[in-house]
Amino acid sequence: MRAIPHRFEHFLSLLESTENTIYRATIKALLALRIKYLNLPGVARYKALGSLRLCREVLAVLEQLDMQAFIVGGFAHDIKTGRITRYHNDIDLTLMDRGVRQELSALFRRMGFEVLEHGPITRLTKRGRSLDLFFWHLNGEGSCQICHNEIMVRMPLACFGSERRGFWGEDYRVASDEYLVFTDHYVNKPESKAFVAQLKEGLGSGFEHTESEAHMTVQVHEYRLK
């Protein structure tokens, strides 16, 4: 008689395991379909329009405060190539930290943004679109640095710059090629990795890169111009 409850428990355990497997497979399939849908050219373009409108709104505020910011990340890659290559979850801007980050956050909250601060990043969300502000710091040696996800990048101030690019009838400040190459350690998407690799070939041997560790956990990538 004792074998019956044991077999019953075994059956329930098997059923639960099967259900979990089906559940995980279903979720995985739905996520794959969502990614395919978002990367359809028309959908990706529509989403990009909303993100760029949000970007112009934020840039207008920063320019009024005399704070120079420019586009980095996947959107920078697309603007440089002149077309939207894929769907982007958000748009990234970078700027120098001038000690007014808290005041900026309060200002954007008053403008109706949801604001979330995490490490060197301030995330602004409005109308279902998000924008990340990456704050860099001067280190007093003619260079600047940022530390994110236990990776620190240092580069000469001369490379922390932008260029003007026209895109869909608007003018944007986009990161320099040097900036995009030197921050490759934060790039995850294969398409963006490949684009940065092409930029790196174009730069040739005009810079030096050293890698070290600080406090046993942080990887430090330092770049110098030759």
Side-chain angles (χ1 to χ4, degrees):
M1 295 293 293
R2 291 181 180 178
I4 295 177
H6 175 73
R7 290 174 182 173
F8 184 68
E9 290 176 4
H10 177 71
F11 172 74
L12 290 178
S13 176
L14 179 62
L15 181 62
E16 182 181 2
S17 175
T18 303
E19 287 178 347
N20 285 339
T21 301
I22 294 173
Y23 174 78
R24 288 195 295 268
T26 302
I27 294 300
K28 185 176 181 180
L30 289 174
L31 288 175
L33 285 174
R34 179 178 183 272
I35 291 172
K36 288 183 178 180
Y37 167 74
L38 290 172
N39 280 297
L40 290 173
V43 177
R45 180 183 175 91
Y46 171 75
K47 296 289 187 181
L49 285 170
S51 295
L52 288 171
R53 279 196 295 268
L54 182 71
C55 179
R56 290 194 295 271
E57 185 177 349
V58 171
L59 285 173
V61 173
L62 295 175
E63 287 174 2
Q64 288 179 1
L65 299 173
D66 196 26
M67 300 184 71
Q68 296 293 332
F70 50 89
I71 297 174
V72 298
F75 257 104
H77 307 157
D78 283 6
I79 291 176
K80 280 176 176 282
T81 56
R83 63 186 181 88
I84 294 296
T85 59
R86 60 178 174 83
Y87 167 74
H88 299 280
N89 292 320
D90 53 25
I91 191 165
D92 300 327
L93 291 177
T94 197
L95 68 162
M96 200 64 68
D97 193 339
R98 289 170 41 185
V100 294
R101 187 175 172 188
Q102 297 300 321
E103 290 82 352
L104 275 178
S105 294
L107 173 60
F108 283 116
R109 284 192 181 98
R110 291 195 297 271
M111 294 176 60
F113 286 86
E114 293 181 18
V115 181
L116 177 63
E117 295 182 357
H118 175 65
I121 303 173
T122 296
R123 166 155 287 203
L124 307 175
T125 304
K126 193 176 185 181
R127 300 187 298 273
R129 300 286 190 273
S130 294
L131 182 147
D132 288 342
L133 294 175
F134 287 78
F135 288 87
W136 286 67
H137 294 271
L138 293 171
N139 64 11
E141 300 174 358
S143 63
C144 55
Q145 65 186 37
I146 192 170
C147 187
H148 178 54
N149 289 340
E150 297 185 342
I151 297 175
M152 178 179 287
V153 174
R154 292 180 182 142
M155 72 172 70
L157 281 175
C159 301
F160 187 83
S162 61
E163 57 185 52
R164 291 280 188 179
R165 286 293 183 100
F167 191 70
W168 290 353
E170 299 286 344
D171 195 36
Y172 297 97
R173 288 185 179 272
V174 185
S176 67
D177 291 352
E178 289 84 357
Y179 179 99
L180 294 177
V181 170
F182 298 165
T183 54
D184 177 50
H185 313 285
Y186 299 128
V187 177
N188 297 313
K189 298 291 184 180
E191 302 91 337
S192 296
K193 279 281 190 184
F195 179 77
V196 173
Q198 293 178 351
L199 294 181
K200 188 173 183 179
E201 289 182 5
L203 294 181
S205 59
F207 64 92
E208 296 177 343
H209 169 220
T210 57
E211 182 178 351
S212 60
E213 288 189 356
H215 307 298
M216 303 301 291
T217 57
V218 177
Q219 288 185 328
V220 181
H221 295 272
E222 187 161 2
Y223 293 89
R224 297 182 181 87
L225 297 177
K226 291 183 178 179

